[in-house]
């Protein structure tokens, strides 16, 4: 039987990500097309295989979030964008670890500036990392209800059914409490929280 | 009538896009006038954004896990493959080390060179030969003293009108007495006598006398001359390597 090979254009990829349609298939496609090249860069520049995996995952999250916030302008191809983002994130990571950069890596940083979008994504790694950690530390119940509503975009009725709440009002109240709990946790790092807030308006 | 726009639930409904057009307009008016309300809305908006990003990270993590599981296992890239740049770098380091060792050895040999060492390395002791003399029966005092090793007697003897053989012996005696400077004159005379059977001997010992006397230019010129004459009896004494050493001494 003839095997079909997925080929998605840049427009299809960004469209799927924006509408949150066929997310698994689209993300898997991005992995298949770009993981080997991007991971090789990290491993050829003082990184381990684990480093390469972690950075690529971070690149994927940053890229998808950018697309979903309608901030990916598409000035360059997705391939070019991901390559630049991967490279800059890894170099930023090396700096963060206080590792002496190879001469070539230091040169790359000093080279012509990357786009503003990439620079911001790299600079805000710490703020985003903090945010993810804070959500992770919420209880399972809170995480689930917030993700079902804000990420999976389920309706109140669907959440009532899947989480066995009494009614929609109960879900609403619980959702608010969980969001407030998250907000209070975020205020533990006011500088990072302020940075996240300013990102929403950029 | 809808609930008061001040209630927390209203903030959430605003963020979730659940307010009517009129309620939304009123709410945004309130935000413009009320800084603490504005602050609260921004805080919760950031929290919602965080949840969405977390959702993305969880979905990516799931795909990541499946993708890595489906990839064929490969040994640690760092152990298995050596980037080309590392090979070049290590190769250059090894080559540089070898160069340093060679330079060190050559440097040591360079500083060990001296005119006396080179002289001793090349010097061929002259054996008085009766055969070359025209007169087999005549043995001059110079020859007798030389054969007996009495070189001081030779150099102290004030004799005029020396024969060519005696000139050679005188030059040799000076050399034996470590007086290269004095050896030059009689040997020069001999080397300049084209028809003398001792001319080539004179040239050879003159070259060594120049060397010992640190007249390197003259020594090199004469040595090269002898080296370039295949019929010269001392032709093989001055090799290229030897002459190079004399040149090094000159540069030093």
């Amino acid at each position: 039987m003839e095997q079909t090979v997925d080929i998605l254009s840049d427009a299809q990829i960004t469209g799927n990500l924006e509408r949150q349609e066929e997310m698994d298939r689209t993300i898997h496609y991005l992995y298949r097309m770009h993981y080997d090249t991007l991971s090789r860069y990290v491993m050829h520049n003082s990184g381990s295989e684990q480093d390469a995996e972690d950075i690529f995952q971070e690149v994927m999250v940053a890229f998808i979030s950018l697309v979903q916030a309608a901030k990916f302008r598409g000035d360059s191809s997705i391939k070019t964008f991901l390559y630049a983002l991967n490279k800059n994130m890894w170099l930023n990571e090396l700096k963060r670890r206080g590792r002496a950069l190879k001469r070539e890596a230091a040169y790359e940083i000093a080279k012509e500036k990357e786009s503003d979008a990439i620079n911001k994504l790299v600079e805000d790694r710490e703020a985003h990392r903090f945010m993810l950690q804070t959500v992770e530390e919420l209880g399972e119940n809170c995480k689930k209800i917030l993700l079902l509503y804000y990420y999976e975009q389920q309706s109140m009725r669907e959440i009532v059914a899947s989480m066995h709440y009494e009614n929609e009002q109960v879900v609403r109240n619980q959702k608010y409490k969980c969001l407030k709990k998250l907000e209070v946790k975020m205020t533990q790092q006011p500088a990072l929280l302020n940075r996240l807030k300013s990102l929403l308006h950029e | 009538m809808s609930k008061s726009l001040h209630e927390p639930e209203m903030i959430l409904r605003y963020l979730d896009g659940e307010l009517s057009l009129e309620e939304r307009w009123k709410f945004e008016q309130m935000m413009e006038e009320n800084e603490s309300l504005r602050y609260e809305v921004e805080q919760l908006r950031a929290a919602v954004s965080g949840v969405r990003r977390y959702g993305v990270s969880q979905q990516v993590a799931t795909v990541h896990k499946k993708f890595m599981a489906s990839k064929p296992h490969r040994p640690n890239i760092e152990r298995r493959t050596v980037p080309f740049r590392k090979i070049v770098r290590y190769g250059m380091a090894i080559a540089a080390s070898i160069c340093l060792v060679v330079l060190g050895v050559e440097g040591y040999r360079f500083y060990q060179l001296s005119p006396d060492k080179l002289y001793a390395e090349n010097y061929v002791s002259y054996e008085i030969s009766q055969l070359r003399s025209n007169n087999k029966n005549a043995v001059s005092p110079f020859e007798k003293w030389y054969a007996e090793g009495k070189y001081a007697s030779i150099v102290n003897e004030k004799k005029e009108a020396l024969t060519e053989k005696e000139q050679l012996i005188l030059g040799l005696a000076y050399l034996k007495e470590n007086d290269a400077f004095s050896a030059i004159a009689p040997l020069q005379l001999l080397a300049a006598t084209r028809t003398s059977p001792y001319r080539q001997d004179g040239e050879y010992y003159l070259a060594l006398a120049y060397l010992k006397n640190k007249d390197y230019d003259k020594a090199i010129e004469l040595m090269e001359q002898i080296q370039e004459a295949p019929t010269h009896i001392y032709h093989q004494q001055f090799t290229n390597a030897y002459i190079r050493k004399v040149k090094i001494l000159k540069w030093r």
Side-chain angles (χ1 to χ4, degrees), chain B residues 125-153:
Chain B
S125 189
Y126 185 81
E127 300 296 327
I128 300 286
S129 167
Q130 296 297 322
L131 295 175
R132 279 198 260 157
S133 171
N134 289 331
N135 188 346
K136 287 185 190 178
N137 296 323
V139 177
S140 73
F142 271 27
E143 286 178 70
K144 190 167 170 288
W145 287 334
Y146 187 85
E148 291 168 358
K150 293 177 181 173
Y151 309 114
S153 306

Side-chain angles (χ1 to χ4, degrees), chain B residues 115-116 118-120 122-126 142 146 149-156 166-188 190 198 200-215 219 222-223 234 238 242:
Chain B
D116 289 338
L118 284 182
Y119 174 90
N122 203 296
Y123 183 85
V124 174
S125 189
Y126 185 81
F142 271 27
Y146 187 85
K150 293 177 181 173
Y151 309 114
S153 306
I154 299 170
V155 304
N156 290 331
E166 284 171 339
Q167 274 177 352
L168 175 62
I169 291 169
L170 180 59
L172 290 170
Y174 274 123
L175 285 175
K176 288 282 189 188
E177 290 290 298
N178 256 331
D179 186 358
F181 178 76
S182 300
I184 289 173
L187 293 173
Q188 266 180 340
L190 192 54
Y198 304 104
Q200 291 185 350
D201 300 297
E203 284 170 346
Y204 172 72
Y205 289 107
L206 178 59
L208 291 181
Y210 281 143
L211 170 64
K212 199 154 182 174
N213 199 46
K214 299 181 186 176
D215 288 331
L222 195 45
M223 287 175 186
Y234 293 97
F238 297 124
Y242 185 84

Side-chain angles (χ1 to χ4, degrees), chain A residues 23-24 31 36 49 53 57 104 128 131 135-136 149-151 175-176 179-180 183 187 197 201, chain B residues 8-9 12 16 18 39-40 42-43 46 50 52-56 59 61 64 67-68 71 74 85:
Chain A
M23 287 286 285
D24 279 359
Y31 263 83
D36 283 347
E49 209 166 332
E53 284 190 39
Q57 246 187 292
E104 311 84 48
H128 288 301
M131 170 56 82
V135 176
E136 178 65 35
Y149 187 82
Y150 288 111
Y151 186 67
K175 181 163 74 85
Y176 178 76
L179 209 56
K180 277 302 286 183
E183 183 214 341
T187 56
K197 280 156 65 175
H201 296 287
Chain B
E9 192 188 315
L12 209 53
D16 294 347
E18 292 177 2
Y39 177 82
E40 181 68 15
E42 291 306 314
Q43 295 278 104
R52 289 191 174 127
R53 193 176 180 102
Y54 183 84
V56 170
Q59 189 152 19
H64 181 97
F67 179 80
M68 298 312 296
K71 279 179 78 60
R74 59 183 172 181
R85 271 186 244 155

Side-chain angles (χ1 to χ4, degrees), chain A residues 54-70:
Chain A
D54 293 345
I55 290 291
F56 188 82
Q57 246 187 292
E58 205 174 332
V59 164
M60 285 289 106
V61 172
F63 173 66
I64 294 168
S65 301
L66 196 73
V67 170
Q68 290 181 344

Side-chain angles (χ1 to χ4, degrees), chain B residues 5-227:
Chain B
L5 291 174
H6 293 276
E7 288 185 17
E9 192 188 315
M10 297 310 289
I11 297 174
L12 209 53
R13 286 184 63 200
Y14 169 72
L15 284 174
D16 294 347
E18 292 177 2
L19 294 181
S20 68
L21 268 174
E22 190 187 341
E23 284 173 326
R24 184 175 163 170
W25 184 84
K26 281 181 184 172
F27 190 87
E28 284 173 355
Q29 288 292 307
M30 280 178 61
M31 271 174 63
E32 275 187 32
E33 293 156 11
N34 190 326
E35 196 183 324
S36 65
L37 178 62
R38 212 162 47 240
Y39 177 82
E40 181 68 15
V41 169
E42 291 306 314
Q43 295 278 104
L44 289 178
R45 200 194 299 271
V48 169
S49 157
V51 172
R52 289 191 174 127
R53 193 176 180 102
Y54 183 84
V56 170
S57 75
Q58 291 300 291
Q59 189 152 19
V60 168
T62 304
V63 173
H64 181 97
K65 202 171 169 182
K66 283 183 195 163
F67 179 80
M68 298 312 296
S70 68
K71 279 179 78 60
H73 175 71
R74 59 183 172 181
N76 191 329
I77 289 280
E78 284 173 303
R79 278 204 302 277
R80 195 164 61 99
T81 57
V82 181
F84 177 71
R85 271 186 244 155
K86 273 192 183 172
I87 293 172
V88 170
R89 203 159 47 234
Y90 288 142
M92 283 173 71
I94 291 167
S97 303
I98 293 171
C99 282
L100 274 172
V101 168
V102 168
L103 275 171
V105 168
E106 289 302 313
Y108 175 77
R109 285 154 91 179
F110 175 82
Y111 281 106
Q112 291 295 306
L113 278 179
S114 71
D116 289 338
K117 265 194 176 174
L118 284 182
Y119 174 90
E121 185 183 312
N122 203 296
Y123 183 85
V124 174
S125 189
Y126 185 81
E127 300 296 327
I128 300 286
S129 167
Q130 296 297 322
L131 295 175
R132 279 198 260 157
S133 171
N134 289 331
N135 188 346
K136 287 185 190 178
N137 296 323
V139 177
S140 73
F142 271 27
E143 286 178 70
K144 190 167 170 288
W145 287 334
Y146 187 85
E148 291 168 358
K150 293 177 181 173
Y151 309 114
S153 306
I154 299 170
V155 304
N156 290 331
E157 179 71 11
K158 300 290 178 206
K159 192 177 178 201
E160 290 175 7
L162 297 174
T163 64
E164 287 163 6
K165 193 171 186 179
E166 284 171 339
Q167 274 177 352
L168 175 62
I169 291 169
L170 180 59
L172 290 170
Y174 274 123
L175 285 175
K176 288 282 189 188
E177 290 290 298
N178 256 331
D179 186 358
F181 178 76
S182 300
I184 289 173
L187 293 173
Q188 266 180 340
L189 273 173
L190 192 54
T193 313
R194 295 178 72 83
T195 54
S196 169
Y198 304 104
R199 181 175 63 83
Q200 291 185 350
D201 300 297
E203 284 170 346
Y204 172 72
Y205 289 107
L206 178 59
L208 291 181
Y210 281 143
L211 170 64
K212 199 154 182 174
N213 199 46
K214 299 181 186 176
D215 288 331
Y216 299 122
D217 285 330
K218 289 179 182 170
I220 291 166
E221 188 185 348
L222 195 45
M223 287 175 186
E224 284 176 341
Q225 205 177 297
I226 294 170
Q227 188 208 37

Side-chain angles (χ1 to χ4, degrees), chain A residues 90-144:
Chain A
W90 176 238
L91 296 178
N92 179 269
E93 179 62 19
L94 286 176
K95 277 171 75 176
R96 192 186 72 83
R97 292 181 187 180
R99 297 258 293 272
L101 297 177
K102 281 188 195 175
R103 189 164 41 87
E104 311 84 48
Y107 168 73
E108 297 249 8
I109 289 174
K111 234 168 53 167
E112 57 183 83
K113 290 191 178 196
E114 297 292 354
S115 70
D116 285 344
I118 288 177
N119 286 335
K120 284 196 176 73
L121 288 173
V122 174
E123 284 160 13
D124 296 324
R125 285 178 76 215
E126 199 189 348
H128 288 301
R129 209 178 266 161
F130 160 70
M131 170 56 82
L132 294 178
Q133 182 63 33
T134 312
V135 176
E136 178 65 35
E137 288 167 2
L138 284 177
E140 285 307 311
N141 220 44
C142 270
K143 262 197 294 190
K144 190 171 179 185

